[in-house]
Coordinates of all heavy atoms in Angstrom, one line a residue:
M1 N 0.8 -1.2 0.0 CA 0.0 0.0 0.0 C 0.9 1.2 0.0 O 1.9 1.2 0.6 CB -0.9 0.0 1.2 CG -1.9 -1.1 1.2 SD -3.0 -1.0 2.6 CE -2.9 -2.7 3.1
N2 N 0.4 2.3 -0.6 CA 1.2 3.5 -0.7 C 0.8 4.6 0.2 O -0.4 4.8 0.5 CB 1.1 4.0 -2.2 CG 1.7 3.1 -3.2 OD1 2.7 2.4 -2.9 ND2 1.2 3.0 -4.3
A3 N 1.7 5.4 0.7 CA 1.4 6.6 1.4 C 0.8 7.6 0.4 O 1.2 7.7 -0.7 CB 2.6 7.1 2.1
T4 N -0.2 8.3 0.9 CA -0.9 9.1 -0.1 C -1.0 10.6 0.3 O -1.3 11.4 -0.6 CB -2.4 8.7 -0.2 OG1 -3.0 8.8 1.1 CG2 -2.5 7.3 -0.7
D5 N -0.6 10.9 1.5 CA -0.8 12.3 1.9 C 0.6 13.0 2.1 O 1.4 12.4 2.8 CB -1.6 12.4 3.2 CG -1.8 13.8 3.6 OD1 -2.2 14.6 2.8 OD2 -1.7 14.0 4.8
H6 N 0.8 14.1 1.4 CA 2.0 14.9 1.8 C 1.6 15.7 3.0 O 0.6 16.2 3.1 CB 2.4 15.8 0.6 CG 2.9 15.0 -0.5 ND1 4.2 14.4 -0.5 CD2 2.3 14.6 -1.7 CE1 4.3 13.7 -1.7 NE2 3.2 13.9 -2.4
M7 N 2.6 15.8 3.9 CA 2.3 16.4 5.2 C 2.1 17.9 5.0 O 3.0 18.6 4.8 CB 3.4 16.1 6.1 CG 3.0 16.3 7.4 SD 3.5 14.8 8.1 CE 4.1 15.5 9.5
H8 N 0.8 18.4 5.2 CA 0.5 19.8 5.1 C 0.4 20.4 6.4 O 0.6 21.6 6.6 CB -0.8 20.0 4.3 CG -0.7 19.5 2.9 ND1 0.0 20.0 2.0 CD2 -1.4 18.4 2.3 CE1 -0.1 19.3 0.8 NE2 -0.9 18.4 1.0
D9 N 0.1 19.7 7.5 CA -0.1 20.2 8.8 C 0.8 19.4 9.7 O 0.8 18.2 9.7 CB -1.6 19.9 9.2 CG -2.0 20.3 10.6 OD1 -1.1 20.6 11.4 OD2 -3.2 20.4 10.8
S10 N 1.5 20.1 10.6 CA 2.5 19.4 11.4 C 1.9 18.4 12.4 O 2.5 17.6 12.9 CB 3.4 20.4 12.1 OG 2.6 21.1 13.0
S11 N 0.6 18.5 12.6 CA -0.1 17.6 13.6 C -0.7 16.4 12.9 O -1.2 15.5 13.5 CB -1.2 18.3 14.3 OG -2.2 18.7 13.5
K12 N -0.5 16.3 11.6 CA -1.1 15.2 10.8 C 0.1 14.4 10.1 O 1.1 15.0 9.8 CB -2.0 15.7 9.7 CG -3.2 16.5 10.2 CD -4.1 15.7 11.1 CE -5.3 16.5 11.5 NZ -6.2 15.8 12.4
M13 N -0.2 13.2 10.0 CA 0.8 12.3 9.4 C 0.3 11.6 8.2 O -0.9 11.4 8.1 CB 1.3 11.2 10.4 CG 1.9 11.8 11.6 SD 2.6 10.6 12.7 CE 3.9 9.9 11.6
S14 N 1.1 11.3 7.2 CA 0.7 10.5 6.1 C 0.5 9.1 6.5 O 1.1 8.6 7.5 CB 1.7 10.6 5.0 OG 2.9 10.1 5.3
T15 N -0.3 8.4 5.8 CA -0.5 7.0 6.1 C -0.9 6.2 4.9 O -0.8 6.7 3.8 CB -1.6 6.8 7.3 OG1 -1.6 5.5 7.7 CG2 -3.0 7.3 6.8
E16 N -1.4 5.0 5.0 CA -1.7 4.1 3.9 C -3.1 4.1 3.4 O -4.0 4.7 4.1 CB -1.3 2.7 4.4 CG -2.2 2.3 5.5 CD -2.0 0.8 5.9 OE1 -2.4 0.0 5.2 OE2 -1.4 0.7 6.9
A17 N -3.4 3.5 2.4 CA -4.7 3.1 1.9 C -5.6 4.3 1.7 O -6.8 4.2 1.9 CB -5.3 2.1 2.8
G18 N -5.1 5.4 1.3 CA -6.0 6.6 1.0 C -6.5 7.3 2.2 O -7.3 8.2 2.0
V19 N -6.1 7.0 3.4 CA -6.5 7.7 4.6 C -5.5 8.9 4.7 O -4.4 8.7 5.0 CB -6.5 6.8 5.8 CG1 -6.9 7.6 7.0 CG2 -7.4 5.6 5.6
E20 N -6.1 10.1 4.6 CA -5.2 11.2 4.6 C -5.1 11.8 6.0 O -6.1 12.0 6.6 CB -5.7 12.3 3.6 CG -5.6 11.8 2.2 CD -6.0 12.8 1.2 OE1 -6.1 14.0 1.6 OE2 -6.2 12.4 0.0
G21 N -3.9 12.3 6.4 CA -3.8 13.1 7.6 C -4.2 12.5 8.9 O -4.9 13.1 9.6
L22 N -3.9 11.3 9.2 CA -4.2 10.7 10.5 C -3.5 11.5 11.5 O -2.3 11.9 11.3 CB -3.8 9.3 10.6 CG -4.6 8.2 9.9 CD1 -4.0 6.8 10.3 CD2 -6.0 8.2 10.4
S23 N -4.1 11.7 12.7 CA -3.3 12.2 13.8 C -2.3 11.2 14.2 O -2.4 10.0 13.9 CB -4.3 12.5 15.0 OG -4.6 11.3 15.6
C24 N -1.3 11.7 14.9 CA -0.2 10.8 15.3 C -0.7 9.7 16.2 O -0.3 8.5 16.1 CB 0.9 11.5 16.0 SG 0.5 12.3 17.5
H25 N -1.7 10.0 17.0 CA -2.3 8.9 17.9 C -3.0 7.9 17.1 O -2.9 6.7 17.4 CB -3.2 9.6 18.9 CG -2.6 10.6 19.8 ND1 -1.7 10.2 20.8 CD2 -2.6 11.9 19.8 CE1 -1.2 11.3 21.4 NE2 -1.7 12.4 20.8
H26 N -3.7 8.3 16.1 CA -4.4 7.3 15.2 C -3.4 6.5 14.4 O -3.6 5.3 14.2 CB -5.4 8.0 14.3 CG -6.6 8.5 15.0 ND1 -6.9 9.8 15.1 CD2 -7.6 7.8 15.7 CE1 -8.0 9.9 15.8 NE2 -8.4 8.8 16.2
F27 N -2.3 7.1 14.0 CA -1.3 6.4 13.3 C -0.6 5.3 14.1 O -0.5 4.2 13.7 CB -0.2 7.4 12.8 CG 0.9 6.8 12.0 CD1 0.7 6.6 10.6 CD2 2.1 6.4 12.6 CE1 1.7 6.1 9.8 CE2 3.1 5.9 11.8 CZ 2.9 5.7 10.4
V28 N -0.3 5.7 15.4 CA 0.3 4.7 16.3 C -0.7 3.6 16.5 O -0.3 2.4 16.5 CB 0.7 5.4 17.6 CG1 1.0 4.4 18.7 CG2 1.9 6.3 17.4
R29 N -2.0 3.9 16.7 CA -3.0 2.8 16.9 C -3.1 1.9 15.7 O -3.2 0.7 15.8 CB -4.3 3.5 17.2 CG -5.4 2.4 17.5 CD -6.7 3.1 17.9 NE -7.7 2.0 18.0 CZ -8.9 2.2 18.3 NH1 -9.4 3.5 18.4 NH2 -9.8 1.3 18.4
A30 N -3.1 2.5 14.5 CA -3.2 1.8 13.3 C -2.0 0.8 13.1 O -2.2 -0.4 12.7 CB -3.3 2.7 12.0
V31 N -0.8 1.2 13.5 CA 0.4 0.4 13.4 C 0.2 -0.8 14.4 O 0.4 -2.0 14.1 CB 1.7 1.1 13.7 CG1 2.8 0.2 13.9 CG2 1.9 2.1 12.6
R32 N -0.3 -0.5 15.6 CA -0.5 -1.5 16.6 C -1.6 -2.5 16.1 O -1.4 -3.7 16.3 CB -1.0 -0.9 17.9 CG 0.2 -0.2 18.7 CD -0.4 0.4 20.0 NE 0.7 0.9 20.8 CZ 0.6 1.7 21.7 NH1 -0.6 2.1 22.1 NH2 1.6 2.1 22.4
E33 N -2.6 -2.0 15.5 CA -3.7 -2.9 15.0 C -3.2 -3.9 14.0 O -3.5 -5.1 13.9 CB -4.9 -2.1 14.5 CG -5.7 -1.5 15.6 CD -6.7 -0.5 15.1 OE1 -6.7 -0.2 13.9 OE2 -7.6 -0.1 16.0
Q34 N -2.3 -3.3 13.0 CA -1.8 -4.2 12.0 C -0.8 -5.2 12.6 O -0.8 -6.3 12.1 CB -1.1 -3.3 10.9 CG -2.0 -2.5 10.1 CD -3.0 -3.4 9.3 OE1 -2.6 -4.4 8.7 NE2 -4.3 -3.0 9.3
A35 N 0.0 -4.8 13.6 CA 0.9 -5.7 14.2 C 0.1 -6.9 14.9 O 0.5 -8.0 14.8 CB 1.8 -5.0 15.2
L36 N -1.0 -6.5 15.6 CA -1.8 -7.5 16.2 C -2.4 -8.5 15.2 O -2.3 -9.7 15.4 CB -2.9 -6.8 17.1 CG -3.8 -7.8 17.9 CD1 -3.0 -8.5 18.9 CD2 -4.9 -7.0 18.5
A37 N -2.9 -7.9 14.1 CA -3.5 -8.8 13.1 C -2.4 -9.7 12.5 O -2.8 -10.9 12.1 CB -4.1 -7.9 12.0
A38 N -1.2 -9.3 12.5 CA -0.1 -10.1 11.9 C 0.6 -11.0 12.9 O 1.5 -11.7 12.6 CB 0.9 -9.2 11.2
G39 N 0.1 -10.9 14.2 CA 0.8 -11.7 15.3 C 2.1 -11.1 15.6 O 3.0 -11.8 16.1
K40 N 2.4 -9.8 15.3 CA 3.7 -9.2 15.5 C 3.7 -8.1 16.6 O 4.6 -7.3 16.6 CB 4.2 -8.6 14.2 CG 4.4 -9.6 13.1 CD 5.6 -10.5 13.4 CE 5.8 -11.4 12.1 NZ 7.1 -12.1 12.3
Q41 N 2.7 -8.1 17.5 CA 2.5 -7.0 18.4 C 3.7 -6.9 19.4 O 3.8 -5.8 20.0 CB 1.2 -7.1 19.2 CG 1.0 -8.3 20.1 CD 0.5 -9.6 19.4 OE1 0.6 -9.7 18.2 NE2 0.0 -10.5 20.2
R42 N 4.5 -7.9 19.6 CA 5.7 -7.8 20.5 C 7.0 -7.7 19.7 O 8.0 -7.7 20.3 CB 5.7 -9.0 21.4 CG 4.5 -9.2 22.2 CD 4.6 -8.3 23.4 NE 3.4 -8.5 24.2 CZ 2.6 -7.6 24.6 NH1 2.9 -6.3 24.3 NH2 1.5 -7.8 25.4
D43 N 6.9 -7.5 18.4 CA 8.1 -7.4 17.5 C 8.3 -5.9 17.2 O 7.8 -5.4 16.2 CB 7.8 -8.3 16.3 CG 9.1 -8.4 15.4 OD1 10.0 -7.5 15.5 OD2 9.1 -9.3 14.6
D44 N 9.1 -5.2 18.0 CA 9.4 -3.8 17.8 C 10.0 -3.5 16.4 O 9.7 -2.5 15.8 CB 10.2 -3.2 18.9 CG 9.4 -3.2 20.2 OD1 8.2 -2.9 20.2 OD2 10.1 -3.3 21.3
Q45 N 10.9 -4.4 15.9 CA 11.5 -4.1 14.6 C 10.5 -4.2 13.5 O 10.4 -3.4 12.6 CB 12.7 -5.1 14.4 CG 13.4 -4.7 13.1 CD 14.6 -5.6 12.9 OE1 15.0 -6.4 13.8 NE2 15.3 -5.4 11.8
W46 N 9.6 -5.2 13.6 CA 8.6 -5.4 12.6 C 7.6 -4.2 12.5 O 7.3 -3.6 11.5 CB 7.7 -6.7 12.8 CG 6.7 -6.9 11.7 CD1 6.9 -7.8 10.7 CD2 5.4 -6.4 11.6 NE1 5.8 -7.8 9.9 CE2 4.8 -7.0 10.5 CE3 4.6 -5.5 12.4 CZ2 3.6 -6.7 10.0 CZ3 3.4 -5.2 11.9 CH2 2.8 -5.8 10.8
M47 N 7.3 -3.7 13.7 CA 6.3 -2.6 13.8 C 7.0 -1.3 13.3 O 6.4 -0.5 12.6 CB 5.9 -2.4 15.2 CG 5.0 -3.5 15.7 SD 4.5 -3.5 17.4 CE 3.3 -2.2 17.5
A48 N 8.3 -1.1 13.6 CA 9.0 0.1 13.0 C 9.1 0.0 11.5 O 8.9 1.0 10.8 CB 10.4 0.2 13.7
D49 N 9.4 -1.2 11.0 CA 9.5 -1.4 9.6 C 8.2 -1.1 8.9 O 8.1 -0.5 7.9 CB 10.0 -2.8 9.2 CG 11.5 -3.0 9.6 OD1 12.2 -2.0 9.8 OD2 11.9 -4.2 9.6
Y50 N 7.1 -1.6 9.5 CA 5.8 -1.4 9.0 C 5.4 0.1 8.9 O 4.9 0.6 7.9 CB 4.7 -2.2 9.8 CG 3.3 -2.0 9.3 CD1 2.8 -2.8 8.4 CD2 2.5 -1.0 9.8 CE1 1.5 -2.7 7.9 CE2 1.2 -0.8 9.4 CZ 0.7 -1.7 8.4 OH -0.5 -1.5 7.9
A51 N 5.7 0.8 10.0 CA 5.4 2.2 10.0 C 6.3 3.0 9.1 O 5.8 3.9 8.4 CB 5.6 2.7 11.5
S52 N 7.5 2.6 8.9 CA 8.5 3.3 8.1 C 8.1 3.5 6.7 O 8.4 4.5 6.0 CB 9.9 2.7 8.2 OG 9.9 1.5 7.5
V53 N 7.4 2.5 6.1 CA 7.0 2.6 4.7 C 5.7 3.3 4.5 O 5.3 3.5 3.3 CB 7.0 1.2 4.0 CG1 8.3 0.5 4.0 CG2 5.9 0.3 4.7
R54 N 5.2 3.9 5.5 CA 3.9 4.6 5.4 C 4.2 6.1 5.5 O 3.2 6.9 5.4 CB 2.9 4.2 6.5 CG 2.2 3.0 6.0 CD 2.0 1.9 7.0 NE 1.4 0.8 6.3 CZ 2.1 -0.2 5.7 NH1 3.4 -0.2 5.7 NH2 1.5 -1.2 5.1
F55 N 5.4 6.6 5.7 CA 5.7 8.0 5.7 C 5.9 8.5 4.3 O 6.4 7.8 3.5 CB 7.0 8.3 6.5 CG 6.9 7.9 8.0 CD1 7.7 7.0 8.6 CD2 6.0 8.6 8.8 CE1 7.7 6.7 9.9 CE2 5.9 8.3 10.2 CZ 6.7 7.3 10.7
D56 N 5.5 9.8 4.1 CA 5.6 10.4 2.8 C 5.9 11.9 3.1 O 5.7 12.4 4.1 CB 4.3 10.2 2.0 CG 4.5 10.5 0.5 OD1 5.7 10.6 0.1 OD2 3.5 10.6 -0.2
G57 N 6.4 12.6 2.1 CA 6.6 14.0 2.1 C 7.5 14.4 3.3 O 8.5 13.9 3.6
E58 N 7.0 15.4 4.0 CA 7.8 16.0 5.2 C 8.0 14.9 6.3 O 9.0 14.9 6.9 CB 7.1 17.2 5.7 CG 7.2 18.4 4.8 CD 8.6 18.8 4.5 OE1 9.5 18.9 5.4 OE2 8.9 19.1 3.3
A59 N 7.0 14.1 6.4 CA 7.1 13.0 7.5 C 8.2 12.1 7.1 O 8.9 11.6 8.0 CB 5.8 12.3 7.6
L60 N 8.4 11.8 5.8 CA 9.5 10.9 5.4 C 10.8 11.6 5.6 O 11.8 10.9 6.1 CB 9.3 10.5 3.9 CG 10.4 9.6 3.3 CD1 10.5 8.3 4.1 CD2 10.1 9.3 1.9
K61 N 10.9 12.8 5.3 CA 12.1 13.6 5.5 C 12.5 13.5 7.0 O 13.6 13.3 7.4 CB 12.0 15.0 5.1 CG 12.0 15.2 3.6 CD 11.8 16.7 3.2 CE 11.5 16.9 1.8 NZ 11.2 18.3 1.4
W62 N 11.5 13.8 7.9 CA 11.7 13.7 9.3 C 12.2 12.3 9.7 O 13.1 12.2 10.5 CB 10.4 14.1 10.0 CG 10.4 13.8 11.5 CD1 11.0 14.5 12.5 CD2 9.9 12.6 12.1 NE1 10.9 13.9 13.7 CE2 10.2 12.7 13.5 CE3 9.2 11.5 11.7 CZ2 9.9 11.8 14.4 CZ3 8.8 10.5 12.6 CH2 9.2 10.7 13.9
F63 N 11.5 11.3 9.3 CA 11.9 9.9 9.6 C 13.3 9.6 9.2 O 14.1 9.1 10.0 CB 10.9 8.9 8.9 CG 11.3 7.5 9.1 CD1 11.1 6.8 10.3 CD2 12.0 6.8 8.1 CE1 11.5 5.5 10.5 CE2 12.4 5.5 8.3 CZ 12.1 4.8 9.5
E64 N 13.7 10.0 8.0 CA 15.0 9.8 7.5 C 16.1 10.5 8.3 O 17.3 10.2 8.3 CB 15.2 10.1 6.1 CG 14.4 9.2 5.2 CD 14.9 7.7 5.2 OE1 16.1 7.5 5.6 OE2 14.1 6.8 4.9
S65 N 15.7 11.6 9.1 CA 16.6 12.3 9.9 C 16.9 11.7 11.3 O 17.8 12.1 12.0 CB 16.1 13.8 10.1 OG 15.1 13.8 11.0
L66 N 16.1 10.7 11.6 CA 16.2 10.0 12.9 C 17.4 9.1 12.9 O 17.8 8.6 11.9 CB 14.9 9.2 13.2 CG 13.6 9.9 13.4 CD1 12.5 8.9 13.5 CD2 13.7 10.9 14.6
E67 N 17.9 8.9 14.1 CA 19.0 7.9 14.3 C 18.5 6.5 13.8 O 17.4 6.2 13.9 CB 19.4 7.9 15.7 CG 20.0 9.2 16.3 CD 21.4 9.5 15.7 OE1 22.1 8.6 15.4 OE2 21.7 10.7 15.5
D68 N 19.5 5.7 13.4 CA 19.1 4.4 12.9 C 18.4 3.6 14.0 O 17.5 2.8 13.7 CB 20.4 3.6 12.5 CG 21.0 4.2 11.2 OD1 20.3 4.9 10.5 OD2 22.2 3.8 10.9
E69 N 18.8 3.7 15.2 CA 18.2 3.0 16.3 C 16.7 3.3 16.4 O 15.9 2.4 16.6 CB 18.9 3.2 17.6 CG 18.4 2.3 18.8 CD 19.2 2.6 20.0 OE1 20.0 3.5 20.1 OE2 19.0 1.8 21.0
A70 N 16.3 4.6 16.3 CA 14.9 5.0 16.4 C 14.2 4.5 15.2 O 13.0 4.2 15.3 CB 14.8 6.5 16.5
Q71 N 14.8 4.4 14.0 CA 14.1 4.0 12.8 C 13.8 2.5 12.9 O 12.8 2.1 12.2 CB 15.0 4.2 11.6 CG 15.1 5.7 11.2 CD 15.9 5.9 9.9 OE1 16.2 4.9 9.2 NE2 16.2 7.1 9.6
S72 N 14.5 1.7 13.7 CA 14.3 0.3 13.7 C 13.7 -0.3 14.9 O 13.6 -1.5 15.1 CB 15.7 -0.4 13.3 OG 16.6 -0.1 14.3
D73 N 13.4 0.6 15.9 CA 12.8 0.1 17.2 C 11.5 0.9 17.4 O 11.5 2.1 17.6 CB 13.8 0.4 18.3 CG 13.3 -0.1 19.6 OD1 12.1 0.1 20.0 OD2 14.2 -0.6 20.4
W74 N 10.4 0.1 17.4 CA 9.1 0.7 17.5 C 8.9 1.6 18.8 O 8.3 2.6 18.7 CB 8.0 -0.3 17.4 CG 6.6 0.2 17.7 CD1 5.8 -0.1 18.7 CD2 5.9 1.2 16.9 NE1 4.6 0.7 18.6 CE2 4.7 1.5 17.5 CE3 6.3 2.0 15.7 CZ2 3.8 2.4 17.0 CZ3 5.3 2.9 15.2 CH2 4.1 3.1 15.8
K75 N 9.5 1.1 19.9 CA 9.3 1.9 21.1 C 10.0 3.3 21.0 O 9.4 4.3 21.4 CB 9.9 1.2 22.3 CG 9.1 0.0 22.7 CD 9.8 -0.8 23.9 CE 8.9 -2.0 24.2 NZ 9.7 -3.1 24.6
L76 N 11.1 3.3 20.4 CA 11.8 4.6 20.2 C 11.1 5.4 19.1 O 11.0 6.7 19.2 CB 13.3 4.4 19.8 CG 14.1 3.7 20.9 CD1 15.5 3.4 20.3 CD2 14.2 4.6 22.1
L77 N 10.7 4.8 18.0 CA 10.0 5.5 16.9 C 8.7 6.0 17.4 O 8.4 7.2 17.1 CB 9.8 4.5 15.7 CG 9.1 5.1 14.5 CD1 9.8 6.4 14.0 CD2 9.0 4.1 13.4
R78 N 7.9 5.2 18.1 CA 6.7 5.7 18.7 C 6.8 7.0 19.5 O 6.1 7.9 19.4 CB 6.0 4.6 19.5 CG 4.6 4.9 20.0 CD 4.1 3.9 20.9 NE 4.9 3.8 22.1 CZ 5.4 2.8 22.7 NH1 5.1 1.6 22.3 NH2 6.1 2.9 23.8
R79 N 7.8 6.9 20.4 CA 8.1 8.1 21.2 C 8.5 9.3 20.4 O 8.0 10.5 20.6 CB 9.2 7.8 22.2 CG 8.8 7.0 23.4 CD 9.9 6.8 24.4 NE 9.7 5.6 25.1 CZ 10.6 4.6 25.3 NH1 11.8 4.8 24.8 NH2 10.3 3.5 25.9
A80 N 9.3 9.1 19.3 CA 9.7 10.2 18.5 C 8.5 10.8 17.7 O 8.3 12.0 17.5 CB 10.8 9.7 17.5
I81 N 7.6 9.9 17.2 CA 6.4 10.3 16.5 C 5.5 11.2 17.4 O 5.1 12.3 17.0 CB 5.6 9.1 16.0 CG1 6.3 8.4 14.9 CG2 4.2 9.5 15.6 CD1 5.7 7.0 14.5
L82 N 5.3 10.7 18.6 CA 4.4 11.5 19.6 C 5.1 12.8 20.0 O 4.4 13.8 20.1 CB 4.1 10.6 20.8 CG 3.2 9.4 20.5 CD1 3.1 8.5 21.7 CD2 1.9 9.8 19.9
T83 N 6.4 12.8 20.2 CA 7.1 14.0 20.5 C 7.0 15.0 19.4 O 6.8 16.2 19.6 CB 8.6 13.7 20.8 OG1 8.6 12.9 22.0 CG2 9.3 15.0 21.1
R84 N 7.2 14.6 18.1 CA 7.2 15.5 17.0 C 5.8 15.9 16.6 O 5.6 17.1 16.2 CB 7.9 14.8 15.8 CG 7.8 15.5 14.5 CD 8.5 16.8 14.5 NE 8.5 17.4 13.2 CZ 7.5 18.3 12.8 NH1 6.6 18.6 13.6 NH2 7.6 18.8 11.6
Y85 N 4.8 15.0 16.6 CA 3.5 15.3 16.0 C 2.3 15.5 16.9 O 1.3 15.9 16.5 CB 3.2 14.2 15.0 CG 4.1 14.3 13.8 CD1 5.2 13.4 13.7 CD2 4.0 15.3 12.8 CE1 6.0 13.4 12.6 CE2 4.9 15.3 11.7 CZ 5.9 14.4 11.6 OH 6.8 14.4 10.6
A86 N 2.5 15.2 18.2 CA 1.3 15.3 19.1 C 1.0 16.8 19.3 O 1.9 17.6 19.4 CB 1.6 14.6 20.4
E87 N -0.3 17.1 19.4 CA -0.7 18.4 19.7 C -0.2 18.8 21.1 O -0.3 18.0 22.0 CB -2.2 18.5 19.7 CG -2.8 18.3 18.3 CD -2.7 19.5 17.4 OE1 -2.7 20.7 18.0 OE2 -2.5 19.3 16.2
P88 N 0.3 20.0 21.3 CA 0.8 20.3 22.7 C -0.4 20.5 23.6 O -1.5 20.9 23.2 CB 1.4 21.7 22.5 CG 0.9 22.2 21.2 CD 0.5 21.0 20.3
V89 N -0.2 20.1 24.8 CA -1.3 20.2 25.8 C -1.0 21.5 26.6 O 0.0 21.7 27.2 CB -1.2 19.0 26.8 CG1 -2.3 19.1 27.9 CG2 -1.4 17.7 26.0
Y90 N -2.0 22.3 26.6 CA -1.9 23.6 27.3 C -2.7 23.5 28.6 O -3.8 23.2 28.6 CB -2.4 24.8 26.4 CG -1.7 25.0 25.2 CD1 -2.1 24.5 23.9 CD2 -0.4 25.6 25.2 CE1 -1.4 24.7 22.8 CE2 0.3 25.8 24.0 CZ -0.2 25.3 22.8 OH 0.6 25.5 21.7
E91 N -2.0 23.9 29.6 CA -2.6 23.9 30.9 C -2.9 25.3 31.3 O -2.1 26.2 31.0 CB -1.7 23.2 32.0 CG -1.5 21.8 31.7 CD -0.6 21.1 32.8 OE1 -0.4 21.8 33.9 OE2 -0.1 20.0 32.6
E92 N -4.0 25.5 31.9 CA -4.4 26.9 32.4 C -3.6 27.2 33.6 O -3.5 26.3 34.5 CB -5.8 27.0 32.7 CG -6.7 26.9 31.4 CD -8.2 27.1 31.7 OE1 -8.5 27.7 32.8 OE2 -9.0 26.7 30.9
S93 N -3.0 28.3 33.6 CA -2.3 28.8 34.9 C -3.3 29.1 35.9 O -4.5 29.4 35.6 CB -1.4 30.0 34.6 OG -0.5 29.7 33.6
K94 N -2.9 29.1 37.2 CA -3.8 29.4 38.2 C -4.5 30.8 38.0 O -3.8 31.8 37.9 CB -3.1 29.5 39.6 CG -2.6 28.1 40.0 CD -1.9 28.3 41.3 CE -1.3 26.9 41.7 NZ -0.6 27.0 43.0
G95 N -5.8 30.7 37.7 CA -6.6 31.9 37.5 C -6.4 32.6 36.2 O -7.0 33.7 35.9
Q96 N -5.5 32.2 35.3 CA -5.2 32.8 34.1 C -5.7 31.9 32.9 O -5.5 30.7 33.0 CB -3.8 33.1 33.9 CG -3.2 34.1 34.8 CD -1.7 34.3 34.6 OE1 -1.1 33.6 33.8 NE2 -1.2 35.3 35.2
R97 N -6.3 32.5 31.9 CA -6.8 31.7 30.8 C -5.9 32.2 29.6 O -5.6 33.3 29.4 CB -8.2 32.0 30.5 CG -9.1 31.5 31.6 CD -10.5 31.7 31.3 NE -10.9 30.6 30.5 CZ -12.1 30.0 30.7 NH1 -13.0 30.5 31.5 NH2 -12.5 28.9 30.0
R98 N -5.6 31.3 28.7 CA -4.9 31.6 27.5 C -5.8 31.8 26.4 O -6.7 31.1 26.1 CB -3.9 30.5 27.2 CG -2.8 30.5 28.2 CD -1.8 29.4 27.9 NE -0.9 29.4 28.9 CZ 0.4 29.0 28.8 NH1 0.8 28.7 27.6 NH2 1.2 29.0 29.8

């Protein structure tokens, strides 16, 4: 399956099968679901490899800039994805609204 979406929004990631702009959380979940279906849910290298071929555009450039270890280990890659693409959580300061 081919990646179809070039990354237009930093909070969205490209993915497979014509699904454009999944959030990073949905992307991580989709990788986990595919790993479970393949019986590979405990195989971090398989999951990283599966995810790696679904990046396109800016997401692919970002992926290629990662250290080799993060590219081949799902635990490290997952953390990197969430760090790079997760929406920031804003907390209200005491008595102040943003």
Side-chain angles (χ1 to χ4, degrees):
M1 292 184 227
N2 295 325
T4 59
D5 183 44
H6 291 284
M7 201 127 138
H8 298 292
D9 177 346
S10 65
S11 68
K12 302 293 182 184
M13 298 186 65
S14 63
T15 188
E16 63 176 283
V19 180
E20 296 182 12
L22 282 184
S23 74
C24 64
H25 300 285
H26 288 117
F27 183 85
V28 167
R29 181 177 176 184
V31 170
R32 287 180 172 162
E33 288 173 348
Q34 290 299 315
L36 183 62
K40 299 287 189 176
Q41 67 272 20
R42 301 281 180 232
D43 187 338
D44 288 327
Q45 185 174 358
W46 185 95
M47 293 171 75
D49 289 345
Y50 179 86
S52 72
V53 297
R54 276 138 185 89
F55 295 120
D56 197 11
E58 291 300 315
L60 179 58
K61 290 178 189 175
W62 168 81
F63 174 78
E64 292 297 335
S65 75
L66 295 174
E67 296 291 328
D68 290 345
E69 187 177 11
Q71 289 182 10
S72 62
D73 183 318
W74 175 242
K75 287 178 183 144
L76 297 174
L77 179 56
R78 182 186 69 224
R79 285 185 205 128
I81 290 167
L82 294 172
T83 298
R84 170 66 177 91
Y85 293 103
E87 293 284 328
V89 176
Y90 296 102
E91 295 182 14
E92 290 185 21
S93 300
K94 293 180 183 178
Q96 295 180 351
R97 297 182 88 138
R98 291 183 185 207

